Amino acid sequence: MQTDLRGRDLISTQDWTKDEIETLLDVAFDLKRKRALGEPHAYLRDKVLGMLFFFSSTRTRVSFEAGMAQLGGHAQFIESRTTQISHGDTAKEIGEIIGRYTDGIAIRQVDWGIGNRYINDVAEASRVPVLNMQCDIYHPFQILADLMTIMEEFGRDLRGKTINVSWAYAASYQKPISVPQSLILLMTRFGMNVKLAHPPEYKLMPDIMEQARENARKSGGVLEVTHDFNEGFKDADIVYPKSWGALLTTTDDEESAAIGKKYEDWICDTQRMSFAKDHAIYMHCLPADREIEVANDVIDGPQSRVYDEAENRLHVQKAAMALTMR
Ligand code: CP
């Protein structure tokens, strides 16, 4: 068990060893149990987390804020547009200054080609740990919560389990690619068979694909890619169909919407669920485009674990804060 995580940033799960991630999960399970029993666990009394958002959020904001309060500390909600960031405060200044006021900085900056660079620049200048609440490349806390949820269902040893990480159609907006990228990176480290399904225009970053292949090689897992939506569901233990933008093909919203229209039938419905194993679970990070990305029968049905996933955001984030912000 790796216990010396004080001061560590968490920007991508790739930055943490498997042992360190196992420690985080151990603590998350313990904190979930403590909360269920009403046991106090104020490990961060008088500590402050600065939460800087460049983009909207429901789950991430509320779970980080609630988590800090439950750990005995305080979380500050900071919106980029109501600060002097809009008049020129740089990433270096934010890291230096907010790092002197707080004990940790959490950031959501999902702008394509900008977000991850920004978070790393803040981290370089900051004396306190920086936590990635989602960037253009990674969404580590979502995927750690997903892993916890999968372990609750199938146990801690996930070798040989098959997860279908699939693109699905959505009409709302070009969603970031950070969720599928983080999923393939983390699940391949745990020896899982990862089936990545997407239309040809919805490729993920080549460097991420290469890292995921290397993770699979080391863990004895598999990463396979298909462009056939139905094929992705076949024999899966876990299905995770969600929309993302065709960002490696075009950054033009209109062009992207036109590409997406070709694949309107990529909706997760009960027929597609029937291709997966009988015990398969349905997952989605939310928000989902209901009746477009996923049928209500599925997301509200007995195989859905979306509310457990959302709950587990709280526990993994509390674990990360308790370990890094002591
Ligand atoms: N899944 C997720 O990150 O939700 P929010 O965008 O609401 O924070």
Side-chain angles (χ1 to χ4, degrees):
M1 188 180 200
Q2 300 293 317
T3 53
D4 183 16
L5 292 160
R6 190 175 186 162
R8 288 281 295 279
D9 300 326
L10 209 171
I11 297 174
S12 163
T13 54
Q14 290 287 103
D15 304 334
W16 284 35
T17 67
K18 186 156 178 282
D19 274 358
E20 290 166 346
I21 290 169
E22 295 274 14
T23 298
L24 185 152
L25 290 165
D26 288 342
V27 174
F29 280 113
D30 183 50
L31 290 172
K32 187 168 186 174
R33 188 188 61 82
K34 284 191 163 75
R35 179 163 162 75
L37 292 171
E39 281 180 25
H41 47 274
Y43 301 128
L44 295 181
R45 199 177 292 285
D46 302 329
K47 304 264 182 179
V48 175
L49 176 74
M51 301 189 308
L52 174 56
F53 283 89
F54 289 76
F55 192 74
S56 55
S57 165
T58 305
R59 282 145 290 270
T60 304
R61 176 184 175 181
V62 177
S63 55
F64 266 103
E65 269 187 25
M68 252 331 256
Q70 291 161 18
L71 290 167
H74 172 70
Q76 292 176 322
F77 174 65
I78 310 161
E79 262 188 311
S80 61
R81 68 183 177 86
T82 56
T83 67
Q84 298 290 28
I85 291 171
S86 57
H87 295 141
D89 276 340
T90 65
K92 181 173 189 293
E93 288 161 357
I94 292 296
E96 276 281 2
I97 295 164
I98 299 186
R100 293 181 189 214
Y101 300 148
T102 68
D103 304 283
I105 306 174
I107 305 173
R108 169 170 283 195
Q109 175 26 310
V110 300
D111 292 344
W112 180 240
I114 295 172
N116 184 261
R117 182 70 263 150
Y118 182 86
I119 293 174
N120 276 287
D121 287 348
V122 173
E124 203 169 301
S126 165
R127 61 179 65 179
V128 298
V130 169
L131 306 176
N132 180 358
M133 296 195 293
Q134 190 179 16
C135 67
D136 50 334
I137 301 176
Y138 308 112
H139 197 351
F141 291 105
Q142 179 62 55
I143 273 51
L144 288 163
D146 296 339
L147 181 61
M148 183 176 181
T149 309
I150 293 169
M151 286 177 169
E152 287 174 336
E153 195 75 31
F154 296 106
R156 294 283 292 250
D157 182 359
L158 296 172
R159 285 175 297 179
K161 294 282 179 243
T162 298
I163 179 169
N164 167 33
V165 177
S166 179
W167 185 86
Y169 178 66
S172 51
Y173 68 106
Q174 284 233 73
K175 301 186 186 192
I177 61 176
S178 50
V179 167
Q181 296 205 138
S182 295
L183 273 170
I184 67 165
L185 285 175
L186 191 58
M187 301 311 161
T188 48
R189 291 178 82 186
F190 282 78
M192 297 181 75
N193 302 326
V194 178
K195 288 172 89 174
L196 176 65
H198 61 76
E201 297 91 336
Y202 290 86
K203 286 189 290 289
L204 301 182
M205 294 167 69
D207 175 48
I208 298 292
M209 294 295 294
E210 194 43 51
Q211 289 180 60
R213 278 193 198 96
E214 181 62 12
N215 290 347
R217 195 188 59 73
K218 286 186 184 152
S219 74
V222 175
L223 174 66
E224 64 178 275
V225 181
T226 176
H227 299 313
D228 181 332
F229 190 48
N230 293 342
E231 175 58 33
F233 284 81
K234 284 190 188 144
D235 298 322
D237 298 287
I238 302 122
V239 301
Y240 203 129
K242 82 165 296 294
S243 186
W244 65 82
L247 290 161
L248 277 93
T249 301
T250 178
T251 50
D252 181 85
D253 285 346
E254 274 185 28
E255 195 182 343
S256 176
I259 294 169
K261 279 263 176 206
K262 295 195 291 182
Y263 306 105
E264 274 181 327
D265 60 335
W266 285 50
I267 173 172
C268 179
D269 54 18
T270 51
Q271 192 205 1
R272 265 65 182 250
M273 287 302 293
S274 73
F275 300 149
K277 288 186 179 151
D278 289 344
H279 66 228
I281 59 170
Y282 166 84
M283 300 182 74
H284 193 296
C285 54
L286 304 179
D289 284 27
R290 282 172 170 262
E291 296 296 327
I292 297 172
E293 206 174 347
V294 56
N296 284 336
D297 286 355
V298 174
I299 195 167
D300 295 327
Q303 289 167 284
S304 177
R305 297 292 179 274
V306 295
Y307 298 123
D308 294 330
E309 281 179 87
E311 177 185 339
N312 287 337
R313 292 291 304 273
L314 176 72
H315 308 301
V316 297
Q317 290 159 195
K318 284 168 70 178
M321 291 190 286
L323 288 164
T324 63
M325 290 171 60
R326 283 184 296 118

